[in-house]
Amino acid sequence: LNEMELLSLFGAFHSPLPNPRKLTSMKTTTRNILAAIAASAFAVGSADANLLVSSGSNLTLYSDTGITLRTYATDLINAQGVAVDPLGNAYVSNLGGSQIRMYDPSGGFVRNVMDATYGGGTAPLPFALAWNPTVGGLAATVSNVTTAGNTRMVNFDITTTNVNIGAGQTLGGNYEGLTYSSGSGGILYATVSNVGQFFNATGPAFAGGFFTGDPGAQLKGIAISPLVDRKYIADFANNRVYITQGSGSPGITTGLNQPLGVTYSSELHNIFVANFGDNNIKQYDSDGVFLGTINVPASYIAYTAVPEPSTIGLLTFGVLGALVIARRLRRA
């Protein structure tokens, strides 16, 4: 569902019931709404900006005001990249444990999508993660791999362990930022050293470069606004976040201390930066105007618009309730 469809969907829930002469059209409308919910599962927009955050040994879900909503793990060893899929499953790179872990929406551990036996059994090191909307897998960069190149960009099958989707790509460096453009067939954008590159979605396979940072840059997290194809790139060494394409802003150059992760809220149209050096999260609007600080420690960060299961329950109840009322009115 796009944003306009979601607005229409929520509008339908809050609209007054029609008079009995309009029950036929209402019955058709509610059937369509139910079909939309079934098709989108948990991928229904939430009113809250929930932030999935890795920090040292922890993987935690926070609200946009810093309230702890869920703790997934406290036993990680140097947690790195994070990602969320459309069903609300959470993923984290457990660097020191040579694992990519998967958790269900309620916080329960599901499986290791990657473990220490991947790529030849030489303690592979997973870094950046991103959900691949094209092939339905988890894109990841993994170094210290003895088979098919030292560092690999791969898509993992989340239903099992250590199984790749596609051939993947041998890399020449340690990539620490990944994000996809919106829509099927989306492009994968990545950061390594002081440059930004892009890959096609399947494979993934290298396709070209699109950005070079300032001298001495160490590019880390990357996020993208699908509205204007604007990218936000964290520069750990120069304490800034670059803003590219469609903006006159030079980027965010103040208030940051070793920024690692960055994520874009598709609902708030704001960005959140994991400000590693100060153990907090900074929030800015899409042009880089400072909005506030969330005082929680963060290394890497992902935005999730997935609502709590109770939200889905209320949503479904509202539609079913409307159907019951409609049927009673029709019988009357």
Side-chain angles (χ1 to χ4, degrees):
L1 297 177
N2 59 36
E3 290 187 11
M4 292 304 297
E5 288 170 333
L6 284 172
L7 289 173
S8 299
L9 180 61
F10 285 112
F13 297 152
H14 298 292
S15 299
L17 288 175
N19 63 49
R21 288 175 294 181
K22 296 183 179 180
L23 287 177
T24 301
S25 62
M26 179 180 177
K27 183 177 180 182
T28 302
T29 301
T30 49
R31 183 183 298 123
N32 291 339
I33 292 172
L34 284 172
I37 292 176
S40 60
F42 279 93
V44 179
S46 167
D48 297 323
N50 295 336
L51 302 171
L52 181 68
V53 175
S54 69
S55 176
S57 61
N58 300 316
L59 178 66
T60 311
L61 186 70
Y62 296 100
S63 73
D64 64 332
T65 58
I67 298 172
T68 301
L69 302 177
R70 180 173 297 110
T71 299
Y72 294 90
T74 59
D75 62 342
L76 302 171
I77 306 171
N78 194 6
Q80 297 287 310
V82 293
V84 182
D85 70 22
L87 295 181
N89 299 305
Y91 305 86
V92 61
S93 293
N94 184 26
L95 182 69
S98 294
Q99 302 164 333
I100 298 175
R101 294 189 187 181
M102 175 182 180
Y103 297 87
D104 66 27
S106 65
F109 174 75
V110 178
R111 69 176 58 85
N112 287 325
V113 173
M114 189 207 84
D115 66 18
T117 62
Y118 175 74
T122 57
L125 304 175
F127 284 91
L129 300 179
W131 178 256
N132 188 330
T134 302
V135 301
L138 188 71
T141 58
V142 185
S143 65
N144 202 25
V145 178
T146 59
T147 58
N150 180 62
T151 303
R152 298 283 288 169
M153 178 94 72
V154 296
N155 285 317
F156 284 104
D157 181 350
I158 65 167
T159 64
T160 185
T161 300
N162 296 343
V163 177
N164 295 347
I165 304 173
Q169 171 79 45
T170 301
L171 303 175
N174 187 25
Y175 288 63
E176 295 192 52
L178 292 179
T179 191
Y180 277 91
S181 59
S182 61
S184 61
I187 296 171
L188 174 62
Y189 294 93
T191 58
V192 57
S193 185
N194 69 330
V195 298
Q197 299 176 347
F198 61 97
F199 298 73
N200 63 29
T202 56
F206 177 75
F210 71 93
F211 181 80
T212 300
D214 290 340
Q218 296 178 29
L219 304 186
K220 303 290 186 177
I222 179 172
I224 184 171
S225 165
L227 297 179
V228 292
D229 194 29
R230 182 181 297 172
K231 300 172 186 65
Y232 304 90
I233 305 170
D235 183 345
F236 184 82
N238 291 315
N239 296 324
R240 68 179 296 174
V241 171
Y242 303 99
I243 302 178
T244 70
Q245 297 180 236
S247 171
S249 170
I252 302 166
T253 57
T254 59
L256 294 175
N257 183 6
Q258 297 181 316
L260 269 177
V262 59
T263 190
Y264 176 80
S265 164
S266 57
E267 295 185 351
L268 301 177
H269 306 301
N270 295 334
I271 63 168
F272 296 87
V273 181
N275 197 34
F276 178 76
D278 289 334
N279 275 325
N280 58 32
I281 297 172
K282 300 291 187 182
Q283 183 179 2
Y284 303 84
D285 72 11
S286 59
D287 290 321
V289 176
F290 176 70
L291 299 176
T293 299
I294 305 171
N295 290 310
V296 298
S299 296
Y300 287 90
I301 185 170
Y303 168 79
T304 170
V306 179
E308 300 298 302
S310 59
T311 305
I312 291 294
L314 291 172
L315 205 59
T316 306
F317 175 79
V319 177
L320 294 177
L323 282 173
V324 171
I325 294 171
R327 287 173 180 169
R328 288 178 178 175
L329 287 172
R330 182 178 60 186
R331 289 172 182 171

